[in-house]
């Protein structure tokens, strides 16, 4: 009886520590994830910009060459634009809507 | 006797041109880029030099000039966009610019077709309609065409180019593209590094592959090779062509300055084409100061005297060797 209680107690401690570790991991990557998302958006902005008349300096031919390799990123940008989370996605929608 | 004497002179001219072009020097394949204002005789000069080079080397005469004069001279007809054997060691290629631009635009369209729904949402679907008009597409075709020739087993490639402005832009594009690719690679590597950090922290050891980064490396490799080719004196030589008239000569001078500043290259040969040397000709008739200034330039020079009838076939151009003068500035000019 006492052994079972001890096992549960220890199990709870392990679960608690695991949750803490996971929480710590999530917390530690949130800043990295934010930087990643912003850089990704900046990169897409630079690549897609020349194709809709936004002068970013990147030669359009490089944009065309890269476009096919950015499928996942473009779809992600699309989903962020849908959810209204991404100002750059919104900007593209606005710029090209005329 | 007269015929054999003439043959001796022509073969002597061939030898002297080969000496000037210095095609034997190390560096593997040699590329001669022929530059000049529209109508000065770039195609004629290119064919003439190709004929001479082909007496000793497997030679390709390649025209990327949309005027397509090479196709007319050689009667290429339907064979445009293909490597065609002309005679002996000589091969020819005439770029069909419209068709190549259309093909390239279509290939880009094919690549992004899967993305169309997403592009529509982002209002980028017009990109597909305007692809063939995207700035830089024609220049990309020129670069790819030259690159393709460099990957074949020709010992000498003579490139007949579009008018000067376009040609000079094309020659410096690889450097511009490389600058941008360097920046984009830096940014993309940071993105991939962050992605790796996230994946490793959350899921343990993980390989992160990025197609865009792979593509950027590939593009950098492609344009770096082209930049090296265009700026390497052991690989590429520039031949500038003019007529003894103010505008073509001004353009030649500008081109000379441009390749010195942007490609760090000197002209291998300056060609003055269609120089009238009738018995009554004076220096004034020859374009006055232009010929004096031309002759004062410290680069190898070749004068092609005006033939009685303009060349229209390969054999006409071959016979222009009789009109080539490599000592004009030292011998003929002082007598005028």
């Amino acid at each position: 009886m006492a052994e079972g209680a001890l096992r549960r107690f220890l199990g709870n401690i392990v679960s608690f520590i695991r949750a803490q570790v996971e929480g710590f991991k999530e917390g530690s990557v949130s800043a990295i994830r934010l930087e990643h998302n912003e850089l990704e958006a900046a990169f897409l902005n630079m690549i897609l910009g020349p194709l809709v008349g936004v002068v970013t300096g990147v030669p359009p031919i490089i944009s065309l060459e890269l476009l096919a390799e950015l499928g996942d990123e473009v779809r992600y940008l699309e989903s962020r634009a849908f959810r209204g989370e991404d100002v750059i996605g919104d900007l593209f929608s606005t710029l090209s809507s005329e | 006797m007269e015929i054999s004497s003439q043959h001796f002179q022509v073969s002597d001219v061939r030898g002297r041109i080969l000496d000037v072009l210095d095609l034997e020097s190390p560096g593997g394949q040699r590329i001669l880029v022929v530059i000049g204002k529209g109508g000065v005789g770039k195609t004629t000069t290119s064919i003439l030099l190709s004929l001479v080079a082909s007496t000793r080397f497997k030679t390709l005469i390649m025209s990327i000039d949309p005027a397509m004069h090479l196709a007319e001279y050689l009667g290429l007809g339907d064979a445009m966009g293909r490597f065609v054997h002309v005679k002996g060691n000589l091969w020819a290629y005439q770029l069909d610019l419209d068709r190549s631009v259309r093909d390239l635009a279509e290939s880009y369209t094919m690549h992004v077709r899967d993305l169309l729904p997403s592009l529509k949402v982002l209002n980028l679907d017009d990109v597909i309609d305007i692809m063939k008009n995207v700035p830089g597409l024609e220049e990309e075709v020129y670069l790819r065409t030259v690159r393709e020739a460099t990957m074949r087993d020709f010992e000498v490639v003579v490139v007949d180019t579009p008018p000067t402005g376009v040609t000079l832009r094309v020659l410096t594009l690889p450097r511009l593209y490389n600058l941008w690719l360097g920046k984009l690679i830096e940014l993309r590597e940071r993105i991939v590094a962050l992605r790796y950090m996230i994946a490793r922290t959350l899921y343990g050891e993980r390989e992160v592959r990025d197609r865009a980064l792979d593509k950027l490396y590939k593009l950098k490799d492609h344009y770096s090779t082209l930049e090296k080719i265009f700026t390497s004196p052991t690989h590429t030589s520039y031949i500038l062509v003019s007529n003894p008239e103010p505008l073509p000569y001004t353009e030649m001078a500008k081109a000379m300055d441009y390749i010195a500043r942007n490609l760090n290259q000197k002209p291998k040969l300056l060609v003055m084409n269609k120089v009238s040397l009738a018995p009554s000709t004076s220096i004034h008739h020859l374009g006055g100061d232009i010929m004096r200034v031309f002759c004062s330039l410290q680069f190898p020079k070749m004068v092609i005297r005006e033939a009685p009838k303009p060349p229209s076939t390969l054999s006409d151009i071959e016979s222009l060797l009789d009109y080539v003068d490599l000592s004009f500035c030292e011998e003929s000019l002082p007598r005028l």
Side-chain angles (χ1 to χ4, degrees):
Chain A
M1 190 69 181
E3 191 183 328
L6 184 62
R7 275 184 190 280
R8 272 200 304 279
F9 176 69
L10 289 175
N12 285 339
I13 287 177
V14 169
S15 299
F16 173 75
I17 292 170
R18 279 193 182 140
Q20 286 293 316
V21 169
E22 288 306 310
F24 177 73
K25 279 182 182 175
E26 283 292 337
S28 67
V29 296
S30 66
I32 300 173
R33 190 173 273 150
L34 182 66
E35 186 186 352
H36 172 267
N37 289 349
E38 292 310 312
L39 286 180
E40 187 82 273
F43 185 81
L44 282 174
N45 188 19
M46 288 172 77
I47 299 302
L48 299 178
L51 302 177
V52 288
V54 180
V55 180
T56 64
V58 175
I61 214 76
I62 291 178
S63 297
L64 285 175
E65 288 281 348
L66 280 175
L67 198 53
E69 312 302 333
L70 290 169
D72 293 342
E73 287 80 355
V74 169
R75 285 183 202 102
Y76 182 57
L77 184 69
E78 175 200 357
S79 87
R80 289 182 78 191
F82 259 137
R83 296 199 305 267
E85 289 177 9
D86 179 45
V87 285
I88 294 171
D90 292 344
L91 176 68
F92 271 99
S93 301
T94 312
L95 280 170
S96 305
S97 61
E98 286 97 40
Chain B
M1 285 302 283
E2 195 180 326
I3 290 171
S4 63
S5 160
Q6 188 183 8
H7 277 200
F8 173 76
Q9 282 170 6
V10 167
S11 75
D12 184 44
V13 167
R14 283 198 186 103
R16 287 182 66 193
I17 293 173
L18 283 170
D19 286 346
V20 170
L21 295 177
D22 192 21
L23 300 172
E24 301 267 18
S25 60
Q29 187 186 61
R30 296 301 305 260
I31 300 175
L32 304 177
V33 181
V34 181
I35 301 173
K37 190 177 185 302
V40 294
K42 287 188 298 293
T43 310
T44 307
T45 306
S46 302
I47 297 174
L48 194 65
L49 296 177
S50 309
L51 284 164
V52 172
S54 70
T55 57
R56 207 175 294 172
F57 305 97
K58 184 176 181 187
T59 303
L60 172 71
I61 162 78
M62 161 176 271
S63 178
I64 56 172
D65 188 351
M68 298 201 274
H69 290 153
L70 181 70
E72 285 173 34
Y73 279 127
L74 302 185
L76 293 179
D78 293 337
M80 286 192 290
R82 294 212 303 262
F83 291 86
V84 179
H85 181 242
V86 180
K87 65 172 194 171
N89 262 339
L90 183 62
W91 295 70
Y93 181 97
Q94 171 68 64
L95 172 69
D96 183 343
L97 184 64
D98 287 343
R99 195 171 67 189
S100 298
V101 166
R102 199 174 56 239
D103 290 350
L104 184 59
E106 276 174 16
S107 78
Y108 285 135
T109 307
M110 291 287 285
H111 286 145
V112 299
R113 195 157 281 166
D114 293 345
L115 282 176
L116 199 53
S118 304
L119 293 172
K120 266 190 178 144
V121 171
L122 297 167
N123 286 317
L124 280 162
D125 50 324
D126 284 350
V127 166
I128 287 182
D129 297 331
I130 60 166
M131 244 171 215
K132 65 176 182 299
N133 299 315
V134 164
L137 208 62
E138 283 187 12
E139 287 82 351
E140 179 62 19
V141 166
Y142 294 140
L143 289 172
R144 284 182 184 209
T145 308
V146 173
R147 182 77 185 101
E148 196 187 337
T150 63
M151 291 192 291
R152 293 185 173 245
D153 66 341
F154 296 106
E155 294 169 284
V156 177
V157 178
V158 181
V159 186
D160 172 32
T161 60
T164 315
V166 179
T167 304
L168 297 180
R169 194 167 66 240
V170 169
L171 291 169
T172 44
L173 271 182
R175 197 177 63 176
L176 172 73
Y177 287 175
N178 276 330
L179 286 173
W180 270 108
L181 286 166
K183 299 278 178 204
L184 290 173
I185 285 173
E186 214 175 285
L187 179 56
R188 197 71 202 169
E189 281 176 342
R190 177 70 186 151
I191 290 168
V192 174
L194 291 171
R195 199 180 290 162
Y196 174 75
M197 272 193 261
I198 294 167
R200 181 155 186 191
T201 309
L202 294 179
Y203 315 112
E205 195 69 46
R206 204 157 258 236
E207 190 190 357
V208 178
R209 282 201 67 84
D210 185 68
R211 286 169 56 201
L213 188 57
D214 291 343
K215 183 71 182 182
L216 283 167
Y217 287 141
K218 210 171 151 187
L219 288 171
K220 185 90 167 74
D221 184 50
H222 169 71
Y223 291 115
S224 295
T225 306
L226 280 167
E227 187 180 350
K228 272 184 210 148
I229 288 172
F230 293 152
T231 53
S232 160
T234 55
H235 205 139
T236 302
S237 300
Y238 294 91
I239 318 283
L240 305 184
V241 186
S242 178
N243 297 144
E245 294 167 25
L247 289 180
Y249 181 75
T250 305
E251 208 158 295
M252 178 195 255
K254 281 185 181 166
M256 213 164 7
D257 181 50
Y258 190 93
I259 63 168
R261 278 190 293 112
N262 296 287
L263 302 168
N264 206 21
Q265 289 252 43
K266 294 172 183 169
K268 191 71 161 176
L269 179 66
L270 301 177
V271 179
M272 193 58 87
N273 187 30
K274 298 184 205 164
V275 176
S276 168
L277 268 185
S280 61
T281 302
S282 67
I283 185 68
H284 176 69
H285 288 110
L286 266 180
D289 290 340
I290 290 175
M291 291 307 291
R292 288 198 193 283
V293 175
F294 171 74
C295 283
S296 71
L297 297 169
Q298 299 299 307
F299 302 110
K301 292 172 277 289
M302 179 169 107
V303 163
I304 305 175
R305 285 180 279 121
E306 195 167 31
K309 91 175 173 66
S312 60
T313 63
L314 189 63
S315 62
D316 287 350
I317 294 176
E318 197 157 19
S319 66
L320 277 182
L321 278 171
D322 293 335
Y323 296 84
V324 167
D325 187 348
L326 287 152
S327 315
F328 175 87
C329 295
E330 295 77 31
E331 292 169 11
S332 303
L333 187 69
R335 290 202 300 269
L336 292 170

